[in-house]
Amino acid sequence: MRAGFYKIAVIGGDKRQVYLAQILAARGYDVAACGLCENVHGERIRETTALAEALEQADAVVCPVPFLRSGKITGSYEAVDMNTETLFGKMPGPTEIFAGNIPDNIRGYAEKQGHKVYDMMQEEQVASMNAVATAEGAVAEAITRSPVNLTKSRCLILGYGRCGSALTRLLKAFFCQVFVLEKDRMKAANASVLADGIVSLEELADAMESVDFIFNTAPVMILTEERLRYVGKKAWILDIASAPGGVDYRAAETLAVNAVLLPGLPGRYSPWSSAEILADFIEKRLGLY
């Protein structure tokens, strides 16, 4: 099927969804947009005020990354029917669904209904490029928030997955001293190639006393009240893990520790690049690339 015959609903989300709607329309798709964070215009774009209307005749639905936040479809919108009940109740027969970080129960329910579900954050290339955008956003936040130069600063990264490794490479380009906490032995070995040192959990408190920036990528409560007591007064904790993050924020406030949870960095700092990556993935999966 050619792009011109394919109808795609783009719903919810952040600025990535706005650009994604524009990119898909420019590539020849008929796009119905609903619940986007701002108005989007284009020759092949139809804006709707109701999700049910956007889903009419849709061959594919592109949901946000992440799909849900606080139990609701991610986004800021006025559409009263922007919910999973409408999404699965109004799709015209088996549909291809794209989203990111889809809960297992939602995915299972959709597949039982005959829909084909793609979690874009499970795709290695998409996830890796998303990690690059996240790392760049984290660096931008560090520069903006801290009274300390990022260049040649001392940084501690908690976790060495995709985001941790991308962040390590970026911070080394700023001539930072980078220390990594990673429990997985293989990942820790990989981190040791670029990092200036590997920190164990037993060494974490001492390490936090002497760094300017702490970047958390681990989606588990690692920075407890007890550990937060060791954070320096000028240091900043930048938490880029999935919500609810890895910091005891109530304790951080009580202790006057500088800590911030930073969800959705790709949607804030590189939404166009991120949208292009998602558009390429969608076209490949639809067999139209």
Side-chain angles (χ1 to χ4, degrees), residues 28 35 68 98 122 139 152 158 161 170 173 189 198 200 236 256:
L68 298 180
F98 297 86
Q122 296 298 319
V139 165
K152 294 188 177 181
L158 309 181
L170 198 54
I198 304 301
S200 68
W236 266 92

Side-chain angles (χ1 to χ4, degrees), residues 83-126:
N83 51 60
T84 55
E85 290 78 15
T86 301
L87 176 64
F88 294 116
K90 295 296 183 179
M91 283 187 286
T95 307
E96 298 192 74
I97 302 172
F98 297 86
N101 302 326
I102 306 170
D104 290 340
N105 63 320
I106 296 290
R107 180 171 193 147
Y109 178 76
E111 289 176 340
K112 284 182 180 179
Q113 286 195 323
H115 304 298
K116 200 165 187 178
V117 183
Y118 300 98
D119 191 326
M120 296 184 284
M121 290 300 103
Q122 296 298 319
E123 173 70 21
E124 185 60 37
Q125 184 175 2
V126 175

